[in-house]
């Protein structure tokens, strides 16, 4: 509660408007009652199921982690080693919605990069599944078939070996006795790597021969079977036909282990050396015919060959056309105490899984003195014996509750719906309220949620759409990614092994070196680099890091507010750069926006007296606005409005700075102009704007005032730049009103310092004036010659 109260206080301090009547907590029973209700709907529709699956097990945390929670083989939280371990898990069948999740992306106003991340994560591909019969070392078939999935069935004749994932179900059954020990050791090593590590393109490929072979159905050739961790058991069938001539990873593997390489696709623009590198493109088929199998695709294009091979596979019973996805079903169980209890029970005598009644929701967590991980894989809830043991209310038979809990993503998948109707105890959300509020107009979040929260929320929303709870197919119509704020730039100097300072651009040559921090007051900028003030030959490393306690570069907002005020902090965060980009904190930068706000204050209130105090009210504000003032104001309104809508807050602030500079030059400040400007400023600096609004004589808050609207009539430029020619040669330009007469234009040209020197002492023969286009002054020839002499 202390943290929540501090969070509320800080939001209020910074001027955030929030309807606290809509405050929710996903950890409260009245909220997660409906999370459990959604789970029961998934269960009814066959979208929640149990499976024995290899999972990311973290012994230190004592729990299973999702792929997204494992980074470089360690847990994202705590950095603990993670291994692969088969366990009974609850899964959600997100793959059943894969096509809808793909298709509906097209209608969303999201950053294209985020949509592309989701498309790649879902990874829809069309190809074929085909069967390779396993044979022993003597070529005898063993009545075992390996199913492989390929997106390039046209390259079947180029398959010179198979690769199985270390976790493939058939691996232990087919491996030879001579290779068993080596294969088991390899499997153990692979279990310690994350999927990301295993599929990293830059990593060196490793593998082990299984000691057995399979027969290529297209040509009858026996090909060796290998186990390698660059193939995942969770993708496709967990086995691939390796075509090293036409796949980069297979090519690298084949070269390392001296495996055959057979080119079967030739580029249409010439020959290719398949032993130097793989050709992954399309072309014309070669080396792709077998009288024994009856398959001949020589001379066909890759596309036609793929279609022919699929038809042949289906005709001969060796395979079929297949659509595949990289997307895996969502692992939906955690071995933690903290999490929503899964509302099912298991009958003791049969093990049958039964949902609890919706009337029994919420199913709450029992009180536990010790909710630390068991370390065995059993969840902490197994310790709550009196809670675990229960009775099936329908049959009266003894049963046990599920002791796994839901992941932390569960409650956040639908929280946006609860904001619409936070106190409803009878329904997840009232239908009328949902239809009024849905979909969410703008969702602001980091790009790191692209394939986590955003994808999971879209899946749950579509299920709720099918159930009839929501009226829209998508939850978030518009998504905007914000950047992060980095700590202040840190400067680092390098020293060689003898302790001498060395320039950062010479570290490759110097080899060993140590680092030391350099205070900002000892640094100067030189071109695009930073150097020591006392020794400009020493270039420093200048880098801003993500704020973290370990680096000591965290900025406490309370300290900033205490020194500069909340409005300066708000304004600076918006002025640092484009909203979507990462930005570097700079104390000198906040000084700048603080000075701008001070200028606005003095513009409206006036300068302080000798004791530093400001008078009540404002400076004299009277008179009707001039055309020039209205143009400045409405250009500012137009720019600020556009930039707010485009989340380009920094350029909106720049527009207000330009307006302020212009206003300081005016003899009079009309009240109507200043009031509109204060309203423009209010979203950026609400505290100061409220104070100015009050000083302008208003008794109610400006929060209820309409935002200024631009009048397009004042955006039209009334002046033009007029080229001035003398004897047909352009000598300069003048700025004139569009309604300017010939006499006015000539007078302005005569007064212009650059043009007047060409006219001094000369007589004018003729003037040619085209309004808004050009002024050409023809000098008398005789006077021109005199002038030349």
């Amino acid at each position: 509660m202390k943290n929540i109260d501090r969070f509320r206080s800080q939001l209020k301090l910074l001027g955030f408007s929030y309807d606290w009547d809509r405050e929710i907590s996903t950890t409260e029973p009245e909220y997660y009652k409906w999370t459990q209700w959604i789970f029961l709907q998934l269960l009814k529709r066959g979208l929640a199921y149990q499976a024995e699956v290899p999972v990311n097990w973290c012994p230190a945390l004592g729990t299973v982690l999702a792929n997204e929670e494992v980074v470089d083989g360690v847990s994202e939280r705590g950095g603990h080693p993670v291994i692969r371990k088969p366990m009974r898990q609850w899964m959600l069948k997100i793959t059943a919605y894969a096509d809808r999740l793909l298709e509906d992306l097209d209608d969303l106003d999201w950053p294209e990069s985020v949509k592309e991340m989701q498309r790649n994560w879902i990874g829809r591909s069309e190809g074929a599944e085909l069967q390779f019969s396993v044979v022993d070392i003597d070529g005898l078939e063993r009545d075992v078939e390996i199913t492989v999935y390929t997106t390039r069935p046209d390259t079947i004749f180029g398959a010179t070996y198979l690769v199985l994932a270390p976790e493939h179900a058939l691996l232990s059954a087919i491996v030879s006795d001579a290779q068993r020990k080596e294969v088991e050791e390899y499997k153990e090593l692979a279990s310690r790597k994350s999927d990301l590590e295993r599929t990293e393109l830059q990593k060196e490929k490793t593998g082990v021969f299984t000691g057995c072979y399979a027969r290529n159905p297209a040509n009858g050739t026996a090909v060796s079977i290998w186990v390698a961790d660059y193939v995942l058991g969770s993708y496709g069938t967990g086995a691939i036909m390796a075509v090293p001539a036409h796949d980069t990873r297979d090519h690298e593997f084949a070269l390392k282990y001296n495996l055959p390489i057979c080119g079967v696709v030739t580029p249409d623009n010439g020959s290719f050396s398949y032993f130097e590198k793989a050709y992954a493109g399309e072309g014309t088929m070669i080396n792709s015919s077998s009288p024994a199998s009856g398959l001949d695709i020589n001379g066909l294009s890759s596309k036609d060959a793929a279609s022919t091979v699929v038809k042949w596979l289906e005709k001969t019973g060796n395979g079929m056309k297949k659509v595949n996805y990289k997307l895996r079903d969502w692992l939906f169980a955690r071995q933690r105490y903290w999490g929503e209890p899964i509302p099912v029970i298991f009958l003791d005598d049969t093990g049958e899984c039964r949902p609890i009644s919706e009337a029994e929701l919420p199913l709450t967590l029992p009180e536990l003195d010790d909710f630390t991980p068991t370390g065995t894989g059993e969840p902490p809830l197994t310790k709550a014996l009196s809670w675990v043991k229960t009775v099936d209310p329908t049959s009266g038979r003894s049963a046990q509750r599920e002791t796994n809990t839901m992941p932390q993503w569960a409650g956040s998948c639908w929280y946006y719906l609860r904001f619409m109707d936070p106190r409803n105890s009878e329904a997840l959300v009232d239908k009328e309220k949902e239809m009024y509020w849905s979909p969410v107009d703008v969702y602001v979040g980091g790009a790191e949620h692209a394939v986590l929260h955003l994808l999971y929320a879209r899946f749950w929303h579509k299920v709720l759409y099918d159930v009839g709870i929501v009226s829209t197919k998508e939850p978030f119509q518009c998504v905007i990614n914000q950047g992060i704020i980095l700590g202040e730039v840190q400067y680092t100097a390098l020293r060689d092994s003898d302790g001498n300072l060395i320039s950062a651009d010479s570290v490759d040559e110097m080899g060993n070196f140590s680092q030391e921090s350099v205070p900002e007051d000892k640094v100067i900028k030189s071109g695009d680099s930073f150097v020591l003030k006392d020794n400009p030959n020493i270039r420093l490393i200048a880098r801003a890091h993500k704020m973290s306690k370990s680096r000591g570069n965290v900025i406490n907002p309370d300290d900033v507010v205490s020194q500069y005020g909340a409005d300066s902090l708000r304004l600076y965060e918006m002025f640092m750069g484009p909203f979507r980009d990462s930005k570097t904190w700079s104390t000198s930068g906040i000084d700048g926006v603080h000075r701008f706000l001070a200028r606005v204050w003095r513009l409206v209130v006036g300068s302080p007296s000798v004791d530093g105090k400001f008078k009540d009210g404002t400076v004299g504000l009277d008179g009707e606005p001039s055309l020039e003032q209205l143009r400045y104001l409405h250009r500012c309104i137009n720019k600020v409005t556009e930039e707010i809508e485009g989340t380009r807050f920094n350029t909106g602030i720049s527009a207000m700075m330009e307006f302020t500079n212009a206003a300081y030059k005016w003899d009079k400040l009309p009240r109507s102009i200043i009031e509109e400007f204060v309203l423009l400023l209010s979203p950026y600096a609400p505290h100061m704007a409220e104070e100015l609004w009050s000083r302008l004589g208003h008794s109610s808050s400006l929060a209820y005032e309409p935002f200024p609207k631009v009048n397009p009539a004042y955006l039209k430029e009334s002046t033009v730049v007029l080229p001035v020619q003398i004897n047909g040669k352009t000598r300069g330009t003048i700025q004139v009103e569009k309604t300017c007469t010939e006499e006015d234009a000539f007078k302005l040209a005569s007064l212009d310092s650059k043009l007047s020197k060409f006219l001094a002492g000369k007589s004018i023969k003729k003037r040619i004036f085209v309004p808004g286009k050009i002024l050409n002054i023809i000098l008398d020839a005789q006077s021109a010659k005199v002038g030349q002499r």
Side-chain angles (χ1 to χ4, degrees):
M1 285 298 296
K2 190 182 237 182
N3 287 337
I4 293 175
D5 290 341
R6 186 176 184 277
F7 177 66
R8 287 177 176 172
S9 175
Q10 202 164 66
L11 285 180
K12 186 176 180 180
L13 178 70
L14 294 175
F16 286 98
S17 296
Y18 191 88
D19 183 356
W20 292 106
D21 290 337
R22 295 183 181 273
E23 182 184 13
I24 58 175
S25 170
T26 61
T27 62
E28 295 297 327
E30 57 265 27
Y31 180 93
Y32 70 67
K33 165 186 177 178
W34 299 107
T35 306
Q36 293 172 331
W37 183 87
I38 295 172
F39 179 87
L40 292 179
Q41 311 316 305
L42 292 161
L43 192 63
K44 287 177 186 177
R45 287 170 139 50
L47 297 171
Y49 65 95
Q50 292 185 89
E52 186 87 9
V53 294
V55 297
N56 301 311
W57 170 250
C58 179
L61 296 176
T63 189
V64 170
L65 302 176
N67 285 335
E68 300 81 27
E69 297 171 300
V70 181
V71 180
D72 296 331
V74 297
S75 62
E76 185 179 38
R77 179 167 62 90
H80 305 293
V82 176
I83 63 173
R84 300 286 284 178
K85 177 180 178 179
M87 292 181 69
R88 178 186 66 86
Q89 298 291 313
W90 279 100
M91 310 290 292
L92 298 188
K93 196 177 287 185
I94 190 173
T95 50
Y97 283 73
D99 282 328
R100 287 167 65 180
L101 289 168
L102 267 178
E103 292 162 5
D104 293 343
L105 279 172
D106 294 338
D107 298 327
L108 298 178
D109 181 17
W110 288 20
E112 192 56 39
S113 59
V114 173
K115 292 202 279 189
E116 195 59 25
M117 286 171 74
Q118 289 211 359
R119 291 188 186 105
N120 291 337
W121 192 261
I122 296 168
R124 186 183 191 277
S125 64
E126 294 185 4
E129 276 188 357
L130 52 154
Q131 313 294 333
F132 282 71
S133 299
V134 177
V135 297
D136 60 25
I137 198 166
D138 298 319
L140 299 175
E141 295 201 4
R142 296 177 50 182
D143 197 27
V144 178
E145 289 187 331
I146 294 176
T147 303
V148 305
Y149 172 76
T150 178
T151 58
R152 293 292 302 270
D154 56 311
T155 63
I156 187 170
F157 284 94
T160 59
Y161 62 99
L162 299 188
V163 181
L164 272 58
E167 56 271 21
H168 195 284
L170 290 177
L171 183 56
S172 296
I174 66 170
V175 66
S176 69
D177 291 338
Q179 292 294 107
R180 188 170 301 278
K181 181 180 179 183
E182 193 174 357
V183 168
E184 290 300 321
E185 289 175 349
Y186 186 81
K187 286 171 62 177
E188 170 63 22
L189 288 172
S191 73
R192 301 175 189 171
K193 299 179 182 178
S194 69
D195 288 355
L196 186 63
E197 280 183 288
R198 287 171 53 178
T199 55
E200 180 63 45
L201 293 176
Q202 282 71 36
K203 86 176 190 77
E204 183 182 359
K205 305 298 180 289
T206 62
V208 173
F209 177 46
T210 65
C212 63
Y213 298 81
R215 198 174 303 284
N216 186 325
N219 54 20
T221 302
V223 298
S224 57
I225 304 175
W226 290 69
V227 56
D229 64 6
Y230 75 88
V231 176
L232 301 178
S234 59
Y235 179 66
T237 64
I240 64 166
M241 64 175 205
V243 185
H246 304 290
D247 181 274
T248 302
R249 295 183 310 168
D250 296 344
H251 190 273
E252 183 182 338
F253 192 88
L255 289 180
K256 181 173 181 177
Y257 293 104
N258 197 28
L259 297 169
I261 298 174
C262 175
V264 293
V265 182
T266 183
D268 293 333
N269 59 356
S271 59
F272 194 85
S273 176
Y274 303 103
F275 292 94
E276 292 182 8
K277 63 178 180 178
Y279 172 67
E282 296 186 347
T284 302
M285 306 310 301
I286 58 173
N287 302 324
S288 299
S289 176
S290 171
S293 66
L295 180 61
D296 181 3
I297 54 175
N298 275 334
L300 296 180
S301 67
S302 298
K303 185 176 180 180
D304 291 340
S307 177
T308 301
V309 169
V310 170
K311 290 177 182 177
W312 175 82
L313 288 170
E314 293 176 339
K315 181 180 178 181
T316 60
N318 287 310
M320 61 181 177
K321 185 176 181 179
K322 182 76 173 179
V323 174
N324 206 3
Y325 301 89
K326 289 182 180 177
L327 180 68
R328 300 294 90 197
D329 282 345
W330 179 8
L331 179 65
F332 198 72
R334 295 292 185 272
Q335 289 66 51
R336 301 182 182 127
Y337 172 78
W338 297 111
E340 298 89 340
I342 296 174
V344 299
I345 60 173
F346 300 94
L347 299 180
D348 285 339
D349 52 0
T350 64
E352 178 188 351
C353 174
R354 290 190 175 180
I356 70 171
S357 167
E358 292 179 9
E360 293 181 55
L361 300 178
L363 174 62
T364 58
L365 289 168
E367 293 288 338
L368 276 182
D369 294 329
D370 177 18
F371 43 77
T372 58
T374 61
T376 63
E378 289 293 317
L381 281 179
T382 56
K383 302 173 186 178
L385 298 179
S386 60
W387 181 85
V388 173
K389 292 180 179 180
T390 187
V391 174
D392 175 27
T394 304
S395 64
R397 292 145 70 186
S398 63
Q400 296 194 42
R401 298 192 188 279
E402 172 63 79
T403 53
N404 286 310
T405 55
M406 298 185 196
Q408 68 267 37
W409 300 105
S412 64
C413 279
W414 67 280
Y415 72 94
Y416 59 95
L417 292 171
R418 199 59 176 173
F419 279 131
M420 302 174 188
D421 193 11
R423 303 290 174 258
N424 195 330
S425 60
E426 303 300 321
L428 185 151
V429 62
D430 177 78
K431 284 186 178 293
E432 288 188 10
K433 291 179 180 178
E434 184 277 327
M435 291 182 71
Y436 174 80
W437 287 106
S438 287
V440 174
D441 296 302
V442 179
Y443 175 100
V444 180
E448 67 272 12
H449 295 302
V451 293
L452 299 175
H453 165 64
L454 285 177
L455 190 62
Y456 295 156
R458 292 183 65 220
F459 165 47
W460 275 34
H461 191 90
K462 290 181 183 300
V463 174
L464 292 174
Y465 177 80
D466 293 345
V467 174
I469 300 300
V470 297
S471 59
T472 62
K473 293 182 179 180
E474 288 286 337
F476 315 119
Q477 183 57 38
C478 175
V479 165
I480 297 173
N481 292 145
Q482 89 281 5
I484 61 172
I485 297 179
L486 305 175
E488 292 201 71
V489 174
Q490 296 178 340
Y491 303 98
T492 306
L494 305 177
R495 291 185 184 272
D496 61 21
S497 55
D498 295 326
N500 300 314
L501 284 167
I502 56 174
S503 186
D505 50 15
S506 64
V507 292
D508 291 338
E509 303 169 18
M510 300 298 295
N512 294 328
F513 56 88
S514 59
Q515 302 183 13
E516 64 181 55
S517 296
V518 179
E520 186 176 5
D521 60 1
K522 294 186 177 181
V523 177
I524 59 171
K525 191 168 186 181
S526 175
D528 294 330
S529 304
F530 291 89
V531 298
L532 280 177
K533 188 181 293 183
D534 296 338
N535 188 351
N537 293 322
I538 301 299
R539 186 165 70 83
L540 305 173
I541 297 173
R543 185 179 176 188
H545 299 271
K546 186 176 179 179
M547 288 188 184
S548 67
K549 290 181 181 178
S550 61
R551 288 192 176 275
N553 64 347
V554 174
I555 302 296
N556 187 333
D558 294 349
D559 295 339
V560 178
V561 171
S562 175
Q563 183 175 355
Y564 295 98
D567 285 347
S568 292
L569 174 59
R570 288 171 58 104
L571 204 68
Y572 177 57
E573 288 195 350
M574 290 183 276
F575 192 59
M576 289 169 79
F579 183 71
R580 295 167 176 81
D581 295 349
S582 295
K583 298 165 276 287
T584 303
W585 182 271
S586 168
T587 301
S588 61
I590 197 169
D591 278 332
V593 296
H594 185 65
R595 287 193 300 271
F596 162 65
L597 289 177
R599 292 194 78 215
V600 172
W601 178 265
R602 291 193 301 272
L603 177 71
V604 181
V605 176
S607 298
S609 58
V610 291
D611 61 0
K613 295 181 179 179
F614 291 91
K615 66 177 183 180
D616 294 335
T618 65
V619 297
L621 301 172
D622 48 32
E624 290 299 314
S626 67
L627 183 60
E628 177 194 19
Q629 290 171 330
L630 288 168
R631 282 177 178 152
Y632 268 108
L633 173 66
H634 284 272
R635 280 200 296 266
C636 187
I637 294 173
N638 185 57
K639 184 67 173 176
V640 171
T641 303
E642 283 183 354
E643 303 307 73
I644 287 177
E645 291 175 351
T647 64
R648 298 178 293 268
F649 305 122
N650 55 321
T651 45
I653 295 169
S654 295
M656 289 189 285
M657 289 177 171
E658 290 175 11
F659 173 89
T660 303
N661 289 339
Y664 262 94
K665 298 175 184 177
W666 298 336
D667 294 331
K668 291 185 178 182
L669 291 176
R671 175 177 295 275
S672 59
I673 295 288
I674 293 302
E675 287 189 342
E676 291 284 274
F677 178 69
V678 169
L679 290 174
L680 272 186
L681 180 66
S682 63
Y684 294 86
H687 303 90
M688 192 176 86
E690 282 284 4
E691 175 65 20
L692 291 176
W693 191 249
S694 175
R695 283 170 173 262
L696 286 165
H698 300 279
S699 58
S700 59
S701 170
L702 55 67
Y704 304 102
E705 295 293 324
F707 197 70
K709 292 188 180 298
V710 67
N711 185 337
Y714 295 120
L715 301 181
K716 296 176 181 177
E717 290 292 339
S718 63
T719 61
V720 294
V721 176
L722 191 71
V724 178
Q725 293 183 348
I726 298 176
N727 287 343
K729 188 173 183 178
T730 301
R731 296 293 187 178
T733 60
I734 53 175
Q735 188 163 8
V736 300
E737 293 289 328
K738 287 183 177 179
T739 56
C740 177
T741 65
E742 179 180 327
E743 282 301 323
D744 291 335
F746 178 73
K747 184 177 180 181
L748 284 171
S750 302
L751 295 173
D752 186 277
S753 59
K754 291 182 179 179
L755 296 170
S756 60
K757 63 183 180 181
F758 295 102
L759 302 175
K762 304 177 180 66
S763 59
I764 309 299
K765 181 179 180 182
K766 185 179 181 182
R767 295 195 304 237
I768 302 171
F769 177 67
V770 181
K773 299 292 184 181
I774 195 169
L775 170 64
N776 190 3
I777 302 171
I778 309 298
L779 300 177
D780 181 77
Q782 194 64 33
S783 67
K785 288 179 181 178
V786 172
Q788 288 171 5
R789 285 197 293 267

